[in-house]
Amino acid sequence: MTDSVTPPTVFVVDDDEAMRNSIHWLMESIGLRVEMYSSAAEFLQACDPQRPGCLLLDVRMPGMSGMELLEKLKGGDLRLPVIIITGHGDVPMAVRALKHGAFDFIQKPFNSQELLDQVNAALQQDTESHKQRRQIEILHNQFAILTGREREIVELVVAGNSSKIIGAKLGISPKTVDIHRANIMKKLNVHTIAELVQSRLALKEY
Amino acid sequence: MLAFVGFGTFLEIGNLIQQEKLKELEFSATDKVRQIVDWREAHLRRGEALSRTTMLPYEFEQWLQANHPDDWRKREFSRTLSELRKIYGYRAVALLDRRGSLQLSEPGETCWTPADMALANQAMGERNGLLSDIHPDNEGDGSLSIDFAAPLIANDSGRVVGALLLQIDPSTQLFPLVQSWPTTSTSTETLLVRREGDEIVYLNELRHRNNTALKLRLPISTPRLPPAMWLRGEFDALKGLDYRGVPVVAAVNPVPGTQWLMVTKVDKEELFSPIQKLQIRSTGLGLAFLAGVGLLFFIWLRGIQERHRLISAQRDAAVEREILLKHFEYLTQYANDIILVTDQDGRIVEANQRAERSYGYERGELLRMQFADLRPPAKPPSFFDAQLAQLRQAGESIFETVNRRKDGSIFPVEVSARMIEVKGVTYLQSIIRDISERKRAELELRKYAEQVEDLYNNAPCGYHSLDQDGMILRINDTELRWLGYSREEIVGRKNIRDLFTGKSTQVFRHRFPAFKTQGAVKNLKMELVRKDGTILPVVVDATVIHDLDGNYLMSRSSVFDDTERRIAEEKLQLYSEIVSNMDEGVVLIQATGQMIVYANPKFEGMFGYDPGELSGIPVENLNAESDKSPEETAGEIITALACNGKWTGEVLNRRKNGEAFWCRAYVSTIEFHPYGTVWVAIHQDISERKRIEAMRSEIEHAGRLNLAVEMASGLAHELSQPLSAANNYLVGCLHRMKAESWDHEKLRNAVELAYNQTKRAGAIITHLKRFIRKQDNERTPADINLLIHDTLNFLEQEILRHAIELQVELVPLPLVKVNKVEIEQVLLNLLKNAIDAMNALPRRKLHLATRIWNSNHILVTVSDSGKGIPKKDLSNLFNPFQTTKQDGLGLGLAICRSLVENHGGQIWVDAQAESGAEFNFTLPCEVPHD
């Protein structure tokens, strides 16, 4: 529940040790945290899908290939952006990877700076999406403490009804409606009707 | 008076002699006529014998049915004819078929006239032997012939199958009978004439005039010509004048069965010569008496008359006796048979002239001999005695025996012996006939019969005859041998049904009744079972023999061993089945005219024709134009077939719809009866194979061209790993060094790691180099010219596709020790570059040459007519990654240089070339060891 305190991590899955170590050295040089795995299976066993960061995935690996791992992750709840590293002649495979939701692909031999730039971009996107997810989570929790009557009134307010009409619809006085509205605003930590409507729409449904 | 009486007496005696002579004439004439009739009848009988009693008609018919082949039968007929001719003394003999056309003639050059043929036809029509009249011989040399025709009548069916035509020479056979005259006479003559219209034609050569046969003709009105008188019905034997006009006494007798008249005559002058003297003498006597003692004589007239009457009577008796004696003498002396008279003791007491001639003894010798002396010594005397005793008992006997001549030779005789009694003494009178001629003829006939029998038994085919139930009546040795039975086991014991297999028995049951009424069956395929149970396939021809009422008498079957043919037939059927079902197209082409005479279903299908549609089509219709014209291909095939009888190769054919396709063809020649020389061509559709081959070569080609690309790709992948890693380390270092302070130790470590990665990249390349070298390091002596050919073959498609004009000038080269794959790679690269360089240019000429360079190197030159190489590029042309190609790696020439230099050679490009590029490389020759 803490707000983006966890620093992002660059997860590297590559069977070539020299490649892993050199990427580690490169990432650390700009202060990024790096975790290294020598195979897809090892990564799947150890990783926590909730942790922010990005995944650098080598396509050609013994055992489960990079593509298989990508497809498996996208079927689950992993939200990490994935950068695919391909060798010469693997371009069609890279295209396939993009279609399967990879963030980007980079071709060996690559320019190290280019790799760093792409990792930064991926991390930034991950941070963004983490922020959004956090926000919705908060809204979700706020809405969760509303009473049943309060939720009815929120829906009617969002639909654009005045207190008078809401009161008439629910068979209560407009004044009682106003009291409920004040409670709702307080619980949801919003100050204007516009903010209330925005929060509700951001949540979409609950 | 006396003279008158004398003359009267003389006349009377003359008349008497004349009468006697006439009697003798008539006797002889009748005898002659009988001889001629006998002669004719002998011929006719002989003809009948030949017609009916020999195998000749049957064999002849068989032969005719077989389309008179030149086989053993023909030779047999010729032999029979020539024997007939020899035995019987015919001038010529011929065999005619039923329609009267000549089949065989002996001697072969004999000329037969239409009249002869007509005679044969008439004889066949009448089913009887016929003798023609005497007529001039066909040869026109004035000689005469009588033709004799005898129909050949098949024994069984009584059908006339042909005729025998025999030419008789009358001058040797008939005329001697006519002309011979038994007594010595200067004028006696027998002659034959016949009437032709109003003329009398003399048929034989005359005694008193030459060249008369058929030439001397006298009108029937000639007043005193004896035959003319006879024909006019006013014959007087004593008044005749013969053809010379000389007075003759004549007898005329018709010869029965002919148009001939036999005239027997003697000149009156000869007849009266004995009484001529008497006439003169009596006239003189008469005159003397008349002059001297006429009166005295007159007184004794009556006495003289009386006495003369007595003398006359005595004379009559004497003359009569003499005539009888003469007659007997004539009969015995001139008889054609030996006449011997022996007494009781077997001594010869009388022998005639014929006996002298036959035995070769003088009459005097004979009369001193015993009858037994004429027997061959082998016969014991007791045999003779026994025979004699038997003869005495019976009075007469006729038997055959052999006699011996003076010279010791033996000859067969027929003896007709009779006991006669003369004045109380018993004699044995033997009339002995020399029958050696008859015996010889009999022997010939028996030999002939034996030959025929032998022919029947040992013919190459089987013969048998069946009764109406199928019981075997006769069977020949050949068939018995085939079946393994003896004659005793078969004849009269076995029914033919017992000898057939079940299937054949059914056929027999089904067909035999019809056969008995229809009369013949041909080419019937049957199966006989041998005694040992094995099966003998046969072909049967059979005919029915009917009796005179047309009832079935028996069958006569010819049986042919069909084993070989059936095996051959089955084989043929098998082969035909194989050919029909073969997966290769088979076509038969008649060599002359090159027409298709047969194509199997596969061939028809292959070429898209309907069944049978190809027959009669010229084979050139099936040929398509390839790099050779159909005529060239045909010429090549014909030459090969003439040389070694077969040809194998690929031909471009055309289907019915015009589509061309490749076939592999195997052509050979055979001799096949109806068509003469025939080509057998087996076609295999190889269009699919060709297509696959082309495809495979394309793929292989592409594959080999891509090898370098593939290798480069793999190399790139391998190198990218360490290079990327090194890059990472170094960029990582750079970032850290931006900070104010950095951990020296860590950085040094990272740089070292980066260094290690670059070393790793280097190692990969080294490893790769070593790998390549290890792979193809084998060097063997090779002919570079051959490598060039191989490489050109490999690039053939490419060269064809780009329509490149190829010029190759190779000189004989010594062997060079090389790695073939590497040198091929060099050639391939250079050629490929040359081809690419000329791409899309109007002039595309590729030149390849080899020669000896600096005496111990060989030089290979590859030049093109492309755009050439810009001067600026010349310096680093052979460096790696130098390329002008869009998709090239720039490794080709670099690899070429490394490969050539590895071999101790050099490679360079000739900048002097005016147009295009000229690449040269050398390879050192091996220095020959001493």
mmCIF file with all atom_site columns, all heavy atoms in Angstrom, chain A residues 188-199:
data_model
loop_
_atom_site.group_PDB
_atom_site.id
_atom_site.type_symbol
_atom_site.label_atom_id
_atom_site.label_alt_id
_atom_site.label_comp_id
_atom_site.label_asym_id
_atom_site.label_entity_id
_atom_site.label_seq_id
_atom_site.pdbx_PDB_ins_code
_atom_site.Cartn_x
_atom_site.Cartn_y
_atom_site.Cartn_z
_atom_site.occupancy
_atom_site.B_iso_or_equiv
_atom_site.pdbx_formal_charge
_atom_site.auth_seq_id
_atom_site.auth_comp_id
_atom_site.auth_asym_id
_atom_site.auth_atom_id
_atom_site.pdbx_PDB_model_num
ATOM 1  N N   . LEU A 1 188 ? -14.826 10.301 0.450   1.00 0.00 ? 188 LEU A N   1
ATOM 2  C CA  . LEU A 1 188 ? -14.035 10.143 -0.783  1.00 0.00 ? 188 LEU A CA  1
ATOM 3  C C   . LEU A 1 188 ? -12.939 11.181 -0.917  1.00 0.00 ? 188 LEU A C   1
ATOM 4  O O   . LEU A 1 188 ? -12.193 11.205 -1.897  1.00 0.00 ? 188 LEU A O   1
ATOM 5  C CB  . LEU A 1 188 ? -14.943 10.205 -2.025  1.00 0.00 ? 188 LEU A CB  1
ATOM 6  C CG  . LEU A 1 188 ? -15.968 9.073  -2.160  1.00 0.00 ? 188 LEU A CG  1
ATOM 7  C CD1 . LEU A 1 188 ? -16.797 9.257  -3.442  1.00 0.00 ? 188 LEU A CD1 1
ATOM 8  C CD2 . LEU A 1 188 ? -15.306 7.720  -2.185  1.00 0.00 ? 188 LEU A CD2 1
ATOM 9  N N   . ASN A 1 189 ? -12.865 12.037 0.042   1.00 0.00 ? 189 ASN A N   1
ATOM 10 C CA  . ASN A 1 189 ? -11.844 13.076 0.066   1.00 0.00 ? 189 ASN A CA  1
ATOM 11 C C   . ASN A 1 189 ? -11.886 13.926 -1.202  1.00 0.00 ? 189 ASN A C   1
ATOM 12 O O   . ASN A 1 189 ? -10.902 14.163 -1.853  1.00 0.00 ? 189 ASN A O   1
ATOM 13 C CB  . ASN A 1 189 ? -10.452 12.414 0.234   1.00 0.00 ? 189 ASN A CB  1
ATOM 14 C CG  . ASN A 1 189 ? -9.382  13.433 0.617   1.00 0.00 ? 189 ASN A CG  1
ATOM 15 O OD1 . ASN A 1 189 ? -9.730  14.498 1.222   1.00 0.00 ? 189 ASN A OD1 1
ATOM 16 N ND2 . ASN A 1 189 ? -8.150  13.153 0.239   1.00 0.00 ? 189 ASN A ND2 1
ATOM 17 N N   . VAL A 1 190 ? -13.097 14.288 -1.617  1.00 0.00 ? 190 VAL A N   1
ATOM 18 C CA  . VAL A 1 190 ? -13.250 15.221 -2.743  1.00 0.00 ? 190 VAL A CA  1
ATOM 19 C C   . VAL A 1 190 ? -13.976 16.452 -2.271  1.00 0.00 ? 190 VAL A C   1
ATOM 20 O O   . VAL A 1 190 ? -14.726 16.381 -1.285  1.00 0.00 ? 190 VAL A O   1
ATOM 21 C CB  . VAL A 1 190 ? -14.015 14.597 -3.931  1.00 0.00 ? 190 VAL A CB  1
ATOM 22 C CG1 . VAL A 1 190 ? -13.205 13.519 -4.586  1.00 0.00 ? 190 VAL A CG1 1
ATOM 23 C CG2 . VAL A 1 190 ? -15.344 14.068 -3.527  1.00 0.00 ? 190 VAL A CG2 1
ATOM 24 N N   . HIS A 1 191 ? -13.753 17.547 -3.019  1.00 0.00 ? 191 HIS A N   1
ATOM 25 C CA  . HIS A 1 191 ? -14.307 18.786 -2.538  1.00 0.00 ? 191 HIS A CA  1
ATOM 26 C C   . HIS A 1 191 ? -15.384 19.316 -3.440  1.00 0.00 ? 191 HIS A C   1
ATOM 27 O O   . HIS A 1 191 ? -16.223 20.094 -3.018  1.00 0.00 ? 191 HIS A O   1
ATOM 28 C CB  . HIS A 1 191 ? -13.184 19.825 -2.361  1.00 0.00 ? 191 HIS A CB  1
ATOM 29 C CG  . HIS A 1 191 ? -12.107 19.295 -1.449  1.00 0.00 ? 191 HIS A CG  1
ATOM 30 N ND1 . HIS A 1 191 ? -10.914 18.729 -1.925  1.00 0.00 ? 191 HIS A ND1 1
ATOM 31 C CD2 . HIS A 1 191 ? -12.057 19.180 -0.097  1.00 0.00 ? 191 HIS A CD2 1
ATOM 32 C CE1 . HIS A 1 191 ? -10.221 18.313 -0.914  1.00 0.00 ? 191 HIS A CE1 1
ATOM 33 N NE2 . HIS A 1 191 ? -10.889 18.571 0.245   1.00 0.00 ? 191 HIS A NE2 1
ATOM 34 N N   . THR A 1 192 ? -15.430 18.959 -4.644  1.00 0.00 ? 192 THR A N   1
ATOM 35 C CA  . THR A 1 192 ? -16.472 19.454 -5.531  1.00 0.00 ? 192 THR A CA  1
ATOM 36 C C   . THR A 1 192 ? -17.174 18.265 -6.181  1.00 0.00 ? 192 THR A C   1
ATOM 37 O O   . THR A 1 192 ? -16.670 17.150 -6.180  1.00 0.00 ? 192 THR A O   1
ATOM 38 C CB  . THR A 1 192 ? -15.879 20.311 -6.657  1.00 0.00 ? 192 THR A CB  1
ATOM 39 O OG1 . THR A 1 192 ? -15.010 19.467 -7.438  1.00 0.00 ? 192 THR A OG1 1
ATOM 40 C CG2 . THR A 1 192 ? -15.109 21.488 -6.110  1.00 0.00 ? 192 THR A CG2 1
ATOM 41 N N   . ILE A 1 193 ? -18.369 18.581 -6.700  1.00 0.00 ? 193 ILE A N   1
ATOM 42 C CA  . ILE A 1 193 ? -19.138 17.538 -7.412  1.00 0.00 ? 193 ILE A CA  1
ATOM 43 C C   . ILE A 1 193 ? -18.327 17.039 -8.625  1.00 0.00 ? 193 ILE A C   1
ATOM 44 O O   . ILE A 1 193 ? -18.282 15.857 -8.923  1.00 0.00 ? 193 ILE A O   1
ATOM 45 C CB  . ILE A 1 193 ? -20.507 18.112 -7.882  1.00 0.00 ? 193 ILE A CB  1
ATOM 46 C CG1 . ILE A 1 193 ? -21.410 18.399 -6.672  1.00 0.00 ? 193 ILE A CG1 1
ATOM 47 C CG2 . ILE A 1 193 ? -21.224 17.132 -8.834  1.00 0.00 ? 193 ILE A CG2 1
ATOM 48 C CD1 . ILE A 1 193 ? -21.805 17.202 -5.840  1.00 0.00 ? 193 ILE A CD1 1
ATOM 49 N N   . ALA A 1 194 ? -17.647 17.999 -9.261  1.00 0.00 ? 194 ALA A N   1
ATOM 50 C CA  . ALA A 1 194 ? -16.836 17.629 -10.451 1.00 0.00 ? 194 ALA A CA  1
ATOM 51 C C   . ALA A 1 194 ? -15.784 16.583 -10.086 1.00 0.00 ? 194 ALA A C   1
ATOM 52 O O   . ALA A 1 194 ? -15.589 15.587 -10.786 1.00 0.00 ? 194 ALA A O   1
ATOM 53 C CB  . ALA A 1 194 ? -16.163 18.873 -11.019 1.00 0.00 ? 194 ALA A CB  1
ATOM 54 N N   . GLU A 1 195 ? -15.114 16.784 -8.938  1.00 0.00 ? 195 GLU A N   1
ATOM 55 C CA  . GLU A 1 195 ? -14.091 15.831 -8.477  1.00 0.00 ? 195 GLU A CA  1
ATOM 56 C C   . GLU A 1 195 ? -14.722 14.453 -8.216  1.00 0.00 ? 195 GLU A C   1
ATOM 57 O O   . GLU A 1 195 ? -14.135 13.415 -8.562  1.00 0.00 ? 195 GLU A O   1
ATOM 58 C CB  . GLU A 1 195 ? -13.445 16.338 -7.180  1.00 0.00 ? 195 GLU A CB  1
ATOM 59 C CG  . GLU A 1 195 ? -12.201 17.187 -7.430  1.00 0.00 ? 195 GLU A CG  1
ATOM 60 C CD  . GLU A 1 195 ? -11.562 17.618 -6.110  1.00 0.00 ? 195 GLU A CD  1
ATOM 61 O OE1 . GLU A 1 195 ? -12.242 18.398 -5.385  1.00 0.00 ? 195 GLU A OE1 1
ATOM 62 O OE2 . GLU A 1 195 ? -10.448 17.157 -5.819  1.00 0.00 ? 195 GLU A OE2 1
ATOM 63 N N   . LEU A 1 196 ? -15.937 14.514 -7.619  1.00 0.00 ? 196 LEU A N   1
ATOM 64 C CA  . LEU A 1 196 ? -16.634 13.275 -7.305  1.00 0.00 ? 196 LEU A CA  1
ATOM 65 C C   . LEU A 1 196 ? -16.909 12.467 -8.583  1.00 0.00 ? 196 LEU A C   1
ATOM 66 O O   . LEU A 1 196 ? -16.622 11.270 -8.673  1.00 0.00 ? 196 LEU A O   1
ATOM 67 C CB  . LEU A 1 196 ? -17.977 13.588 -6.606  1.00 0.00 ? 196 LEU A CB  1
ATOM 68 C CG  . LEU A 1 196 ? -18.890 12.377 -6.370  1.00 0.00 ? 196 LEU A CG  1
ATOM 69 C CD1 . LEU A 1 196 ? -18.328 11.428 -5.327  1.00 0.00 ? 196 LEU A CD1 1
ATOM 70 C CD2 . LEU A 1 196 ? -20.278 12.830 -5.960  1.00 0.00 ? 196 LEU A CD2 1
ATOM 71 N N   . VAL A 1 197 ? -17.454 13.205 -9.573  1.00 0.00 ? 197 VAL A N   1
ATOM 72 C CA  . VAL A 1 197 ? -17.786 12.543 -10.857 1.00 0.00 ? 197 VAL A CA  1
ATOM 73 C C   . VAL A 1 197 ? -16.509 11.941 -11.484 1.00 0.00 ? 197 VAL A C   1
ATOM 74 O O   . VAL A 1 197 ? -16.498 10.798 -11.946 1.00 0.00 ? 197 VAL A O   1
ATOM 75 C CB  . VAL A 1 197 ? -18.452 13.539 -11.825 1.00 0.00 ? 197 VAL A CB  1
ATOM 76 C CG1 . VAL A 1 197 ? -18.596 12.920 -13.231 1.00 0.00 ? 197 VAL A CG1 1
ATOM 77 C CG2 . VAL A 1 197 ? -19.807 13.976 -11.286 1.00 0.00 ? 197 VAL A CG2 1
ATOM 78 N N   . GLN A 1 198 ? -15.397 12.727 -11.416 1.00 0.00 ? 198 GLN A N   1
ATOM 79 C CA  . GLN A 1 198 ? -14.112 12.275 -12.010 1.00 0.00 ? 198 GLN A CA  1
ATOM 80 C C   . GLN A 1 198 ? -13.615 10.981 -11.338 1.00 0.00 ? 198 GLN A C   1
ATOM 81 O O   . GLN A 1 198 ? -13.217 10.031 -12.007 1.00 0.00 ? 198 GLN A O   1
ATOM 82 C CB  . GLN A 1 198 ? -13.068 13.375 -11.817 1.00 0.00 ? 198 GLN A CB  1
ATOM 83 C CG  . GLN A 1 198 ? -12.035 13.388 -12.890 1.00 0.00 ? 198 GLN A CG  1
ATOM 84 C CD  . GLN A 1 198 ? -11.102 14.613 -12.762 1.00 0.00 ? 198 GLN A CD  1
ATOM 85 O OE1 . GLN A 1 198 ? -11.173 15.399 -11.778 1.00 0.00 ? 198 GLN A OE1 1
ATOM 86 N NE2 . GLN A 1 198 ? -10.265 14.798 -13.742 1.00 0.00 ? 198 GLN A NE2 1
ATOM 87 N N   . SER A 1 199 ? -13.698 10.986 -10.004 1.00 0.00 ? 199 SER A N   1
ATOM 88 C CA  . SER A 1 199 ? -13.246 9.804  -9.266  1.00 0.00 ? 199 SER A CA  1
ATOM 89 C C   . SER A 1 199 ? -14.067 8.578  -9.640  1.00 0.00 ? 199 SER A C   1
ATOM 90 O O   . SER A 1 199 ? -13.550 7.471  -9.848  1.00 0.00 ? 199 SER A O   1
ATOM 91 C CB  . SER A 1 199 ? -13.405 10.031 -7.748  1.00 0.00 ? 199 SER A CB  1
ATOM 92 O OG  . SER A 1 199 ? -12.533 11.032 -7.330  1.00 0.00 ? 199 SER A OG  1
#
